[in-house]
């Protein structure tokens, strides 16, 4: 199956600093990637849809100025958490669709990035 | 907005017992997918159902899509300790977004 990688897998940062998370599709091109956030023992909540070459579409309640998304190429999307605070500590997961390989509806998930803000 | 609920929230079973999780959407779905997430891991795709009333099997797992395409179920026969994890349904509704259900956490005691 298609492979999606994320980097870093874990990051600890101090309150007020910014953290960048990378999401890469390794063996396919993804015009669309998705960013989810998952708090402990909860479901995945869609934060935004990342579109290659255009602005991301954010879900209601997600601050676009705080969670900066850049999808500069067909294989890379980045999420930058700016001025992180302890309440931003969470598991951030990206996913991508391989529209050429499948019906395009199956999403491949990255391994996730666990962010801890101290 | 579209909501996808799952019941139960938690289920503890003895190894060998059966397990079922139910998924209900507030809106009609074009298709439904099921994912399994092991503790500390990321969601892994299990299956996709598209047709109304569709039933699919994967070894001990049976997936069903409701006639109205608003609900689905996952049934595991004779659970094993390797089945431990959280099972999520996720559906595509009238938006181009995959919305995850609330999940059912399964614990299997040996």
């Amino acid at each position: 199956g298609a492979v999606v990688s994320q980097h870093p897998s874990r990051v600890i940062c101090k309150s007020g600093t910014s953290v960048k998370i990378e999401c890469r599709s390794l063996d396919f091109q993804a015009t669309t990637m998705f960013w989810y956030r998952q708090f402990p023992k909860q479901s995945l909540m869609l934060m935004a849809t990342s579109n290659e070459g255009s602005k991301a579409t954010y879900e209601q309640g997600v601050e676009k100025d705080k969670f900066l998304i850049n999808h500069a190429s067909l294989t890379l999307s980045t999420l930058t958490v700016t001025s992180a605070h302890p309440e931003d500590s969470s598991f951030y997961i990206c996913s991508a669709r391989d529209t050429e390989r499948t019906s395009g509806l199956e999403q491949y998930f990255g391994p996730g990035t666990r962010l801890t803000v101290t | 907005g579209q909501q996808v609920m799952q019941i139960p929230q938690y289920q503890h079973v003895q190894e060998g017992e059966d397990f079922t999780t139910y998924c209900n959407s507030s809106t009609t779905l074009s298709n439904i997918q099921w994912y399994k997430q092991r503790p500390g891991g990321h969601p892994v795709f299990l299956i996709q159902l598209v047709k109304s009333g569709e039933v699919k099997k994967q070894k001990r797992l049976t997936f069903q899509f409701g006639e109205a395409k608003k609900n689905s179920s996952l049934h595991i026969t004779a659970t094993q300790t390797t089945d431990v994890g959280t099972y999520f349904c996720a559906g595509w509704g009238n938006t181009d977004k995959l919305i995850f259900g609330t999940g059912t956490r399964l614990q299997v005691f040996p």
Side-chain angles (χ1 to χ4, degrees), chain A residues 18-114:
Chain A
S18 296
V19 174
K20 179 186 282 189
I21 303 170
E22 293 185 348
C23 176
R24 293 181 185 273
S25 57
L26 297 185
D27 53 355
F28 66 100
Q29 294 183 331
T31 55
T32 304
M33 291 184 174
F34 302 90
W35 286 96
Y36 293 84
R37 179 168 52 182
Q38 185 178 35
F39 291 109
K41 298 183 181 180
Q42 293 189 23
S43 185
L44 281 74
M45 300 301 297
L46 180 64
M47 297 175 66
T49 302
S50 173
N51 304 296
E52 187 268 335
S54 65
K55 292 182 179 180
T57 305
Y58 290 83
E59 294 301 299
Q60 192 172 8
V62 178
E63 300 174 57
K64 61 180 181 181
D65 294 330
K66 181 171 182 61
F67 298 100
L68 301 178
I69 292 174
N70 185 277
H71 195 154
S73 78
L74 287 171
T75 59
L76 173 65
S77 175
T78 60
L79 168 67
T80 301
V81 183
T82 63
S83 187
H85 292 288
E87 56 265 31
D88 298 324
S89 299
S90 187
F91 193 45
Y92 292 86
I93 311 174
C94 70
S95 70
R97 286 190 277 172
D98 181 1
T99 55
E100 291 186 5
R101 193 182 307 215
T102 67
S103 66
L105 297 177
E106 179 179 336
Q107 288 192 184
Y108 300 95
F109 284 83
T113 296
R114 194 163 300 281

Side-chain angles (χ1 to χ4, degrees), chain B residues 54-65:
Chain B
E54 188 172 12
V55 178
K56 286 188 177 181
K57 291 190 176 185
Q58 286 182 351
K59 297 182 180 178
R60 296 179 293 106
L61 278 61
T62 302
F63 304 84
Q64 190 166 11
F65 200 9

Side-chain angles (χ1 to χ4, degrees), chain B:
Chain B
Q2 181 185 353
Q3 291 186 328
V4 183
M5 305 295 292
Q6 282 181 253
I7 55 170
Q9 190 175 7
Y10 305 99
Q11 183 85 57
H12 297 170
V13 299
Q14 204 75 32
E15 190 172 23
E17 292 182 337
D18 292 356
F19 159 77
T20 304
T21 171
Y22 299 92
C23 173
N24 293 285
S25 171
S26 58
T27 60
T28 302
L29 302 171
S30 58
N31 75 87
I32 196 148
Q33 301 175 1
W34 284 90
Y35 292 81
K36 176 182 178 181
Q37 185 177 25
R38 292 182 184 276
H42 63 281
V44 174
F45 176 82
L46 294 177
I47 207 160
Q48 176 176 282
L49 304 169
V50 179
K51 299 177 183 176
S52 169
E54 188 172 12
V55 178
K56 286 188 177 181
K57 291 190 176 185
Q58 286 182 351
K59 297 182 180 178
R60 296 179 293 106
L61 278 61
T62 302
F63 304 84
Q64 190 166 11
F65 200 9
E67 294 289 343
K69 301 185 79 173
K70 292 182 71 175
N71 57 69
S72 181
S73 66
L74 158 60
H75 179 81
I76 302 178
T77 304
T79 55
Q80 300 174 359
T81 54
T82 52
D83 295 326
V84 165
T86 301
Y87 292 85
F88 292 100
C89 63
W92 293 91
N94 52 10
T95 61
D96 195 25
K97 293 179 286 191
L98 186 64
I99 304 301
F100 275 77
T102 48
T104 297
R105 195 185 327 160
L106 172 64
Q107 181 62 262
V108 180
F109 294 110

